Amino acid sequence: MNETVEHSGGALGASPARSWLRLPFLEEFKSYSWNRFRHDLIAGATVTLVSIPQAIGFSLILGLPPMPVIISIVIGGFVSALFFSSYHHVFGPTTSVCLIAAATAAANSDLGLHPLQLVAYLAFLVGVIQIIAGLCHVGEVTKFISRSVVVGYTTGIGVLLMTSQLGNCSGSTIRAGSNLLNTLAQTAQNLGAGEMSVWAVGITLLTLVIFEGVKRFRPHWPNNLIGLVVLALGARIFAEFNPDLPFRLVKDTGSLSAILPHLSRLPPWTEQLQILPNLINTAIAIAIIGMLEATAITKSLAAKSGQHVDSNQELLGMGAGNLAAGMFGVTPGSSSFTRSAVNYQSGATSQLSSMFSSVAVMLILFFVTPVFNYIPIPALAALLMRVGYQLINRPQIRISVLSTRSDAVVFFTTLGVALFFRLETAIYAGIGMAVVLFLRKTSTPTLAEYTFNDTGHLTELPEKTQRLHPQISIIHVEGELFFGAADLFQEQVRRQAEDENIRVFILRMKNARHLDATTVMALEVLHEYLRKTGRHLIISGCTSDVSRVLRNSGLMKHIGEENIFPAETNPTIATRKALLRAQALLPEKGEIRIFYSKKMENQQLDKADMEDYMI
């Protein structure tokens, strides 16, 4: 059971300087106890059991030796925990970041840098971007990103992770960083050429059986760790009888060794500036992905624990972790959902649990590295395929696809770009599509012609022949009138204005919102058009915001203040006054009777007005 501890961190509105200087874990010492220390120590050890197998698997995705990935967990995880406000947030290499980094390294192999140098510089750039974003309080912006984007992106990661391991599971070679079609084509080509190992396929299936068996019969045991250790011990024993193993081991990609982290020089400044254009877009994408992952993870866990979490503080922590990873010459990282969830479930009570985990990883490297060196590569591939399958959240996919058409389009756009183009581009494509569909949805104002009925209420006009006065048209405008709606608004009003019998147009704008410069210009064009044809424009029901925009832009003076009627408490009063003004502008006076409910209006009109309007 997770111990409930009151969080004493600062508020979301803290100044950037205070956010940067604040180390939330120091505040926990005010109420820290031996009981909390015991919980954190157990949680940190449990997270370690998950971290090492994952790190070795991520090295397989990156095509790099395991040590840089493990050091990223040690350094990045420790440094980031110093700044995190969440007790349970764990930083380190993740599936999404590793897939993007692998594709980036493969695409920029002609730059003359070793892949590890590229990903380390990428980590440094991501760290700088995330720290700047945290200082500028950009963390809260993530709440405006559609959940369908996140679901589509996560699904794409899951599919790509599974397909990226087809080569390791079958004993063939597939180029790292390929998209779905290229991976499937290479796999089919390898199988057609007979490039498949029975040993690799058998170890893959055996690993999956062990994972599922432990999960079913001992659900609280670390099934991933147990499965990999069993396979490693089996491979070690088999190697005693047959040194020339028919399958690859972790040590074949780069042996694990007990070394202490040390600072590593980044490329010279001149070289950094040369390769910056090639990496900056990817760095921004990873920073955005990190913000999304951190928000989703920390808010989900905070809802369960009741802890207050500062999104900007989490962003600063990730930035510090990536900056440290870059300076130590290792791989970038992000928020790990798996390790964070394990940290919460294991009873962590402060950020110290993540720090303990980083220290424990280093200690394990000094004592049990020979076991991990003998893990078969197909076994790691099976682990990664299983992780990829678990990333595909079918209930969330169903909600995204079936809720609304817009959500479905956003989901499939994000998923399609992730699978068939570039993974980091999928985030931009998904967010862009969501924004476009949102603007389209909100940029469709409703225009309808209204009239007064026998009870004095404004209602939609069923037939144009039923106007109170054939030369006066009351047009009710409802919806958003920002730049995205201006053209449609102007077109609809102009269509109404084509009726030359109408001499005065009353725009009832009580329910019009977010007027901006583009709409003001559209109104000005409409006013000029009507004036040239000897007709008039009146605006009624203006809210304070609409009146302010009309006044500041100068349009109120241009149209004439006598032709603009602000909204009043009774929603029909402004339109009644506009109708009186419209009659005064007509050369031929007619009679219009506007009936009203005295009960509704006895507080709105003075005694002189307490009769039917006669025009």
Side-chain angles (χ1 to χ4, degrees):
M1 181 68 65
N2 191 16
E3 182 179 348
T4 302
V5 180
E6 183 180 357
H7 179 64
S8 57
L12 288 174
S15 67
R18 285 184 58 193
S19 294
W20 171 243
L21 295 175
R22 189 165 70 90
L23 299 178
F25 87 96
L26 293 177
E27 301 170 10
E28 302 305 323
F29 287 121
K30 298 175 183 178
S31 59
Y32 208 65
S33 63
W34 172 255
N35 190 38
R36 291 184 65 185
F37 173 79
R38 182 172 57 84
H39 278 284
D40 286 339
L41 196 61
I42 294 173
T46 307
V47 172
T48 301
L49 298 180
V50 178
S51 298
I52 294 180
Q54 280 194 334
I56 299 172
F58 293 148
S59 71
L60 198 61
I61 298 174
L62 289 162
L64 295 172
M67 284 310 300
V69 186
I70 292 178
I71 297 301
S72 179
I73 288 178
V74 173
I75 296 299
F78 190 94
V79 172
S80 61
L82 299 175
F83 297 90
F84 284 158
S85 63
S86 171
Y87 299 153
H88 312 110
H89 193 183
V90 178
F91 173 91
T94 61
T95 303
S96 56
V97 172
C98 288
L99 283 171
I100 294 174
T104 303
N108 294 280
S109 58
D110 57 344
L111 293 179
L113 291 178
H114 187 276
L116 182 55
Q117 288 180 296
L118 274 173
V119 297
Y121 182 50
L122 185 62
F124 180 82
L125 292 177
V126 172
V128 171
I129 294 170
Q130 288 178 328
I131 287 176
I132 293 174
L135 292 174
C136 296
H137 291 257
V138 180
E140 290 299 313
V141 174
T142 55
K143 65 185 178 183
F144 297 107
I145 297 176
S146 169
R147 187 65 183 173
S148 296
V149 174
V150 179
V151 175
Y153 177 76
T154 305
T155 303
I157 289 174
V159 174
L160 288 175
L161 182 56
M162 288 192 292
T163 56
S164 69
Q165 298 307 309
L166 289 175
N168 292 318
C169 289
S170 62
S172 59
T173 302
I174 296 178
R175 187 172 65 87
S178 301
N179 61 32
L180 179 63
L181 292 180
N182 290 337
T183 299
L184 294 178
Q186 290 181 59
T187 303
Q189 184 179 356
N190 293 338
L191 294 177
E195 190 179 332
M196 186 179 73
S197 169
V198 176
W199 280 97
V201 175
I203 291 174
T204 299
L205 296 176
L206 177 60
T207 305
L208 292 174
V209 169
I210 295 175
F211 286 161
E212 293 303 317
V214 175
K215 181 181 178 181
R216 179 175 180 180
F217 296 107
R218 291 291 185 269
H220 299 294
W221 290 11
N223 54 77
N224 291 341
L225 182 65
I226 291 174
L228 294 182
V229 169
V230 168
L231 269 296
L233 292 175
R236 181 69 181 87
I237 294 172
F238 187 68
E240 292 293 331
F241 302 96
N242 185 12
D244 190 16
L245 294 176
F247 49 85
R248 295 170 62 222
L249 303 175
V250 166
K251 68 177 184 177
D252 296 328
T253 64
S255 297
L256 290 173
S257 56
I259 60 172
L260 292 173
H262 59 278
L263 289 171
S264 177
R265 292 185 61 185
L266 291 168
W269 277 105
T270 54
E271 199 167 349
Q272 289 185 36
L273 293 175
Q274 290 177 354
I275 63 177
L276 182 62
N278 299 74
L279 301 182
I280 188 63
N281 285 334
T282 303
I284 294 173
I286 292 177
I288 294 174
I289 293 165
M291 285 191 287
L292 290 175
E293 292 177 337
T295 301
I297 292 168
T298 56
K299 288 189 175 181
S300 174
L301 296 178
K304 298 177 182 179
S305 66
Q307 185 201 356
H308 169 75
V309 174
D310 185 340
S311 300
N312 295 299
Q313 197 68 38
E314 305 308 301
L315 189 52
L316 282 172
M318 287 194 299
N322 274 312
L323 197 63
M327 295 174 67
F328 277 81
V330 294
T331 58
S334 184
S335 301
S336 171
F337 180 80
T338 301
R339 299 195 290 279
S340 299
V342 169
N343 200 24
Y344 167 76
Q345 293 164 1
S346 302
T349 68
S350 76
Q351 299 87 342
L352 289 173
S353 62
S354 182
M355 300 180 200
F356 291 155
S357 176
S358 296
V359 174
V361 169
M362 284 301 304
L363 294 177
I364 286 177
L365 289 179
F366 279 95
F367 295 105
V368 294
T369 51
V371 176
F372 291 107
N373 279 327
Y374 277 89
I375 296 176
I377 294 298
L380 282 178
L383 169 64
L384 293 174
M385 292 191 75
R386 189 164 177 257
V387 171
Y389 180 77
Q390 292 169 346
L391 285 173
I392 302 174
N393 192 318
R394 288 175 293 281
Q396 290 187 357
I397 293 174
R398 183 174 64 254
I399 293 173
S400 297
V401 172
L402 299 180
S403 294
T404 66
R405 183 176 299 177
S406 296
D407 283 309
V409 171
V410 170
F411 170 80
F412 285 116
T413 298
T414 308
L415 178 61
V417 174
L419 295 180
F420 303 112
F421 296 95
R422 293 173 63 93
L423 187 58
E424 66 272 22
T425 309
I427 286 289
Y428 299 131
I431 293 174
M433 180 59 69
V435 170
V436 168
L437 292 176
F438 172 77
L439 291 178
R440 180 184 177 187
K441 186 184 298 183
T442 58
S443 63
T444 309
T446 301
L447 272 69
E449 192 166 3
Y450 270 49
T451 188
F452 284 96
N453 59 19
D454 292 341
T455 62
H457 292 89
L458 277 166
T459 58
E460 190 169 348
L461 186 68
E463 297 290 340
K464 293 182 179 181
T465 56
Q466 298 180 14
R467 292 187 183 119
L468 289 175
H469 194 295
Q471 292 183 308
I472 301 175
S473 175
I474 303 173
I475 300 175
H476 177 76
V477 183
E478 184 161 355
E480 307 293 332
L481 287 183
F482 65 107
F483 62 89
D487 288 343
L488 182 60
F489 167 70
Q490 183 178 358
E491 180 183 346
Q492 289 181 351
V493 177
R494 282 289 292 268
R495 192 179 298 119
Q496 296 276 355
E498 289 176 358
D499 187 348
E500 296 182 354
N501 294 321
I502 300 176
R503 311 308 300 170
V504 181
F505 287 88
I506 300 175
L507 292 185
R508 187 173 183 267
M509 301 183 68
K510 181 174 178 58
N511 293 331
R513 299 177 295 273
H514 301 141
L515 206 71
D516 66 0
T518 308
T519 312
V520 168
M521 294 178 190
L523 284 172
E524 186 177 26
V525 170
L526 175 65
H527 172 66
E528 291 296 329
Y529 169 73
L530 292 175
R531 191 173 67 171
K532 288 180 181 178
T533 55
R535 296 184 287 176
H536 306 278
L537 176 66
I538 297 175
I539 300 176
S540 75
C542 298
T543 63
S544 57
D545 288 339
V546 171
S547 297
R548 176 177 52 79
V549 173
L550 294 178
R551 184 178 298 104
N552 292 344
S553 65
L555 185 61
M556 180 177 288
K557 183 177 180 181
H558 191 57
I559 294 177
E561 293 190 21
E562 67 278 8
N563 294 322
I564 296 178
F565 298 88
E568 301 188 26
T569 305
N570 188 299
T572 63
I573 296 299
T575 305
R576 295 175 189 276
K577 293 180 178 178
L579 199 53
L580 288 170
R581 172 61 180 166
Q583 180 63 23
L585 292 172
L586 293 175
E588 299 180 2
K589 308 298 181 183
E591 181 179 283
I592 298 179
R593 297 182 67 88
I594 305 176
F595 299 97
Y596 63 89
S597 169
K598 291 187 178 182
K599 183 178 180 181
M600 292 178 56
E601 297 184 9
N602 58 10
Q603 296 180 351
Q604 304 297 327
L605 304 175
D606 57 31
K607 188 173 181 180
D609 292 325
M610 292 304 294
E611 300 294 337
D612 296 344
Y613 281 118
M614 297 291 296
I615 302 178

